[in-house]
Each structure stands twice: as structure tokens, then as C-alpha cells.
């Protein structure tokens, strides 16, 4: 077993191997005095931690991350998950867990920003992140300006004296613009501005955010890490410079994840590499098929040339995942609903990253302020682990229903 992310010769293990090994420390999977142990760290449920005596209680170090202290500070199940996520990014100094992806985003921003600071936010950002900026952060005196996802090194022209942080999300989870992360990081570094990345779509497996110089990497674990549509969770990993502030911020706000949820997320994480590979390949095959269909005006998948930032995707990402969108070639709300309603293998619901396919209508009203991507009726799909030919046949029959609804 390796709990360091390195092989016996001290060489870093590849990402897929780390996903299998990480967090399975002997002290979390075995019993003292007995050789061997079980494969997975069990669920350690705890609020109270019992101490041997008063002296032991008095000497307990609250800042020792792997010492039982009090339930809110976690126990081996959540430590194992946090360690496994940290090991996905060799540049990470540590990871904190949160009860949802939005909690991770707000936890990171509240840990790093103070009244009077300005935040630069990508215009294609996840809607609830925008709501946080326009609501609580604004009320606290933290202002947000939105920038074009394709801005690249031009971001430097936006810097003010009080610009404290730049938030990226690449690709956007509705319109799939790919950002030039290295160019933005270079401009930010020159001015000592913090960079954060919502890396939920690619995960560190396909886009090494911290390895590209980003300071803080955020995941809605709800999506691909959990992978089975049954747990809400978020994580924030940070480099050594910012890790103490992220950790302190989470503790101050009382943020944590339940051990049962951590156990399920850890189970999901073990198969992340195979799920992403399969779902990514299926999604690309379906995106290519859609791009040849007369009923489809445009496919927004970063691996296809119609998608903004396609060249950057080819340069920076190892491959794609299972989420993309496409624009129907006409019709309106009614016809789009007829298409989605007649899909037999796609559930209709929010979220994504699970093993099962989903489809939803996408509307950008209220979600853009710096850019206005003109779009026809958009449909976003999460491609799951079903057989790709079955999914294509299902979409094909639903497109026929759509065409019928459009009329001659
Ligand atoms: C879903 C999502 C989130 C929020 O995650 P929750 O667990 O639903 O709070 C954040 N960012 C992106 C890109 C998402 O898709």
C-alpha cells in the first residue's frame, strides 16, 4: 500500500494508480496489534471523542489533522477521502470537504476575500455561484466584475488596485467555453492575485488545475467524484501558500462532510478513471453524431470545433467527459420540451456526473452580464454508462418527434 502517492522508488504514481491506493492507510483500515486489515476505511461516525484522562484531553492538538479531537474535525473516513482528493493533484497541500459543491465555493471565497475586495468572475459561471456574488458577497462589501470566458491574457486590463481574486470555471457547464487558464494564471501571478478554478467538469484527472499554477481547486464532488447521483458534497484543495487559510476558513464556518457521505464518495472515487473514460468516449461519439444531423444547429462540446475555446481544450485537457449541450435547428420551448419528453433513456433532472444519462433544457436568462452568446433552443445532456448505440437510437427517435412538432 502506498499512502504517499509515490512508488517504492519514490517516483510519483500515475493518477489512475493513486485513485486506487489513496487514503487506505493501515491505521484507518486495520486494528492495532493485528496484521493486515480490510480494504476500505470503514464509516467512523462520531461527535464525541473519548480521551484517556484529563491530561490527555488537555494536551490534544486541535491542529493535528489526523488526530481524533471532536467530530467536526473529522475522523478516518473523511480524512481518507480528503487525502485521496489531495493526491489527485500532486501540487495540493491539502483538501477540505463541504456538504455541497456550492458550500465549497462559498467556503473558499469567504476564506479568501474581505470587505473592499474585488472578485473577477467568469461570465459563464455556474448560476448559484453568480447568486452568491450578487447576494451575500455584495452585502458584505465584496464586489464582483464579470469577464468574457475567452479573455485570456486580456484579463490584466481589468485589474484594479483592489482586485483580490480571479474565479475560473472551464468549460462553463451550460455553454462550454474553454478558458486559457495558463494565460490568466500568468497575469494574476504578476500582480499577486489569487486564482480559483471550479474544476468539476474535467476533475484533476483530465485537467491538472493546481499543476497549471492555479492556487485553489474546487470540485462539486456531487458530480463525478461520487458518480452515482446519491450524495451531495464539495471539496477545496489548495497549494501550500493558501492551504492554511482554506482550512481555517472551513473550521471557522463549521464546514464538514458526514462520514457516511465520505464513505460513498470514496467508493465512487475508486472508479473515477474508468467512468470518465467510458462516459467521455460515449459523449464524444454522440456529439459527433449530433453534429451531422440536420435537426441540430450546433454542438457545444469542447472537443468539437464549434465550441468556443476548442483549441485551448486540445492544448490543455487530457480528454473530455460526459456533459455537453447542443442547439436545436429551430422551434421553441414547446418543440424542445417535446424532444426531451420523448427520450426514453434520459432522465429529466438537474445535476450530472452520475452513471445514468440525463437531459434538460438550458436557458441563459439572468445568467450572463458581460457576454451575450446568441443561442437557439439549447439542450444539455449528461451521457452515462449505457450502451452508446442505444443512446443514439433513443435520441434519433426523439428528434423525429421534435421534427413532427415543428411541422412542415
Ligand atoms: C453542480 C455544480 C456545482 C455545485 O454543486 P452542488 O453539489 O450541487 O452544490 C458547482 N459547480 C458546478 C460547475 C456544478 O455543475
Amino acid at each position: 500500500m502506498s499512502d504517499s502517492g509515490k512508488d517504492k522508488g519514490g517516483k510519483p504514481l500515475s493518477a489512475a494508480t493513486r485513485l486506487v491506493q489513496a487514503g487506505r492507510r493501515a491505521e484507518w483500515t486495520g486494528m492495532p496489534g493485528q496484521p493486515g486489515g480490510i480494504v476500505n476505511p470503514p464509516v467512523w461516525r462520531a461527535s464525541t471523542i473519548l480521551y484517556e484522562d484529563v491530561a490527555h484531553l488537555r494536551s490534544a492538538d486541535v491542529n493535528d489533522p489526523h488526530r481524533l479531537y471532536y467530530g467536526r474535525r473529522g475522523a478516518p473516513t473523511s480524512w481518507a477521502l480528503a487525502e485521496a482528493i489531495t493526491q489527485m493533484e500532486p501540487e495540493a497541500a491539502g483538501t477540505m470537504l463541504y456538504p455541497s459543491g456550492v458550500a465549497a465555493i462559498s467556503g473558499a471565497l469567504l476564506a479568501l476575500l474581505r470587505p473592499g475586495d474585488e472578485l473577477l468572475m467568469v461570465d459563464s459561471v455556474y448560476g448559484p455561484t453568480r447568486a452568491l456574488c450578487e447576494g451575500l458577497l455584495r452585502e458584505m462589501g465584496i464586489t464582483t466584475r464579470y469577464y468574457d470566458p475567452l479573455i485570456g491574457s486580456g484579463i490584466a486590463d481589468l485589474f484594479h488596485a483592489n482586485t483580490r481574486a480571479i474565479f475560473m470555471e472551464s468549460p462553463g457547464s451550460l455553454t462550454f467555453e474553454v478558458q486559457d487558464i495558463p494565460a490568466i494564471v500568468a497575469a494574476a501571478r504578476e500582480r499577486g492575485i489569487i486564482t480559483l478554478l471550479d474544476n468539476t467538469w474535467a476533475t484533476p484527472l483530465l485537467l491538472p488545475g493546481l499543476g497549471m499554477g492555479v492556487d485553489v481547486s474546487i470540485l462539486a464532488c456531487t458530480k463525478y467524484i461520487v458518480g452515482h447521483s446519491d450524495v451531495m458534497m464539495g471539496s477545496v484543495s489548495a497549494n501550500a501558500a493558501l492551504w492554511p487559510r482554506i482550512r481555517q476558513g472551513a473550521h471557522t464556518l463549521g464546514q464538514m462532510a458526514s462520514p457516511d457521505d465520505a464513505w460513498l464518495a470514496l467508493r465512487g472515487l475508486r472508479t473515477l478513471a474508468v467512468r470518465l473514460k467510458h462516459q467521455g468516449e460515449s459523449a464524444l461519439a454522440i456529439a459527433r453524431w449530433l453534429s451531422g444531423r440536420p435537426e441540430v444547429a450546433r454542438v457545444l462540446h469542447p472537443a468539437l470545433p464549434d465550441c468556443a475555446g476548442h483549441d485551448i481544450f486540445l492544448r490543455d485537457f487530457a480528454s473530455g467527459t460526459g456533459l455537453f449541450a447542443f442547439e436545436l435547428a429551430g422551434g421553441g420551448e414547446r418543440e424542445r420540451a417535446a424532444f426531451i419528453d420523448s427520450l426514453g433513456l434520459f432522465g429529466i433532472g438537474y445535476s450530472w456526473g452520475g452513471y445514468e444519462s440525463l437531459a434538460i433544457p438550458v436557458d441563459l436568462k439572468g445568467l450572463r452580464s458581460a457576454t451575450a452568446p446568441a443561442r437557439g433552443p439549447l439542450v444539455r445532456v449528461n451521457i452515462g454508462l449505457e450502451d452508446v448505440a442505444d443512446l443514439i437510437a433513443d435520441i434519433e427517435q426523439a428528434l423525429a418527434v421534435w421534427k413532427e412538432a415543428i411541422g412542415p
Side-chain angles (χ1 to χ4, degrees):
M1 282 302 311
S2 163
D3 49 39
S4 64
K6 306 227 166 77
D7 71 8
K8 292 203 163 169
K11 223 167 75 235
L13 292 162
S14 68
T17 307
R18 276 181 272 133
L19 281 181
V20 171
Q21 300 267 326
R24 294 167 50 200
R25 294 188 185 206
E27 67 263 36
W28 299 340
T29 51
M31 286 173 67
Q34 284 192 27
I38 58 175
V39 172
N40 296 310
V43 178
W44 286 67
R45 286 198 197 86
S47 54
T48 295
I49 304 297
L50 297 174
Y51 294 86
E52 248 167 4
D53 52 32
V54 172
H56 186 206
L57 178 140
R58 293 252 186 254
S59 67
D61 179 3
V62 66
N63 289 317
D64 182 342
H66 294 153
R67 183 58 53 136
L68 290 169
Y69 180 83
Y70 174 58
R72 201 185 325 105
R73 299 270 166 160
T77 322
S78 51
W79 299 341
L81 174 63
E83 181 161 286
I85 294 174
T86 299
Q87 284 195 13
M88 289 177 75
E89 307 208 57
E91 293 76 11
T95 298
M96 293 307 291
L97 302 174
Y98 303 77
S100 70
V102 167
I105 292 165
S106 63
L109 291 174
L110 290 171
L112 299 172
L113 299 174
R114 292 295 172 267
D117 286 348
E118 181 189 67
L119 172 66
L120 292 179
M121 175 58 72
V122 64
D123 202 34
S124 49
V125 75
Y126 182 64
T129 306
R130 180 182 288 266
L132 168 71
C133 295
E134 296 312 301
L136 183 66
L137 294 188
R138 179 179 296 282
E139 286 158 21
M140 291 172 62
I142 297 161
T143 54
T144 302
R145 266 191 305 148
Y146 296 86
Y147 65 87
D148 184 338
L150 304 177
I151 200 166
S153 57
I155 191 103
D157 297 337
L158 301 184
F159 293 165
H160 289 159
N162 66 336
T163 304
R164 194 72 54 220
I166 303 170
F167 194 104
M168 296 171 275
E169 182 185 321
S170 182
S173 67
L174 297 178
T175 43
F176 298 91
E177 297 92 335
V178 182
Q179 296 192 248
D180 192 340
I181 295 171
I184 291 173
V185 164
R189 286 241 156 138
E190 212 160 283
R191 291 281 297 268
I193 295 170
I194 296 167
T195 50
L196 305 96
L197 171 68
D198 180 335
N199 200 13
T200 300
W201 188 83
T203 82
L205 215 51
L206 303 182
L207 182 77
L210 295 183
M212 297 169 85
V214 172
D215 297 311
V216 178
S217 166
I218 302 169
L219 300 177
C221 300
T222 308
K223 312 292 169 51
Y224 282 126
I225 305 301
V226 167
H228 294 71
S229 307
D230 48 11
V231 173
M232 303 292 301
M233 191 176 304
S235 70
V236 178
S237 306
N239 61 21
L242 292 180
W243 166 238
R245 283 166 71 186
I246 293 295
R247 181 165 181 266
Q248 188 55 47
H251 285 324
T252 303
L253 291 168
Q255 292 290 32
M256 58 170 294
S258 90
D260 296 84
D261 288 346
W263 186 85
L264 282 165
L266 207 44
R267 166 164 285 206
L269 188 67
R270 301 299 179 199
T271 57
L272 179 68
V274 281
R275 284 187 286 109
L276 282 189
K277 182 168 190 300
H278 188 98
Q279 289 176 263
E281 284 170 6
S282 295
L284 186 54
I286 292 168
R288 288 208 172 108
W289 180 85
L290 283 167
S291 67
R293 296 292 304 197
E295 303 92 337
V296 173
R298 195 150 61 122
V299 179
L300 301 177
H301 184 302
L304 298 187
D306 269 357
C307 193
H310 167 64
D311 293 346
I312 293 167
F313 173 80
L314 294 180
R315 186 192 69 191
D316 292 347
F317 289 66
S319 60
T321 59
L323 188 80
F324 69 96
F326 57 95
E327 192 181 321
L328 290 163
E333 174 70 22
R334 190 182 69 86
E335 291 78 12
R336 176 174 60 179
F339 167 73
I340 294 174
D341 288 347
S342 51
L343 289 165
L345 297 177
F346 290 74
I348 302 170
Y350 292 114
S351 199
W352 47 277
Y355 63 88
E356 83 293 7
S357 291
L358 297 170
I360 53 165
V362 167
D363 296 299
L364 301 178
K365 196 164 163 284
L367 291 178
R368 304 300 281 242
S369 51
T371 51
R375 301 268 187 254
L378 276 177
V379 176
R380 188 184 76 179
V381 288
N382 174 63
I383 301 302
L385 294 173
E386 303 89 343
D387 181 79
V388 70
D390 288 348
L391 293 176
I392 288 177
D394 192 35
I395 296 171
E396 188 165 25
Q397 63 80 29
L399 285 175
V401 174
W402 173 84
K403 216 166 158 205
E404 187 93 350
I406 292 271

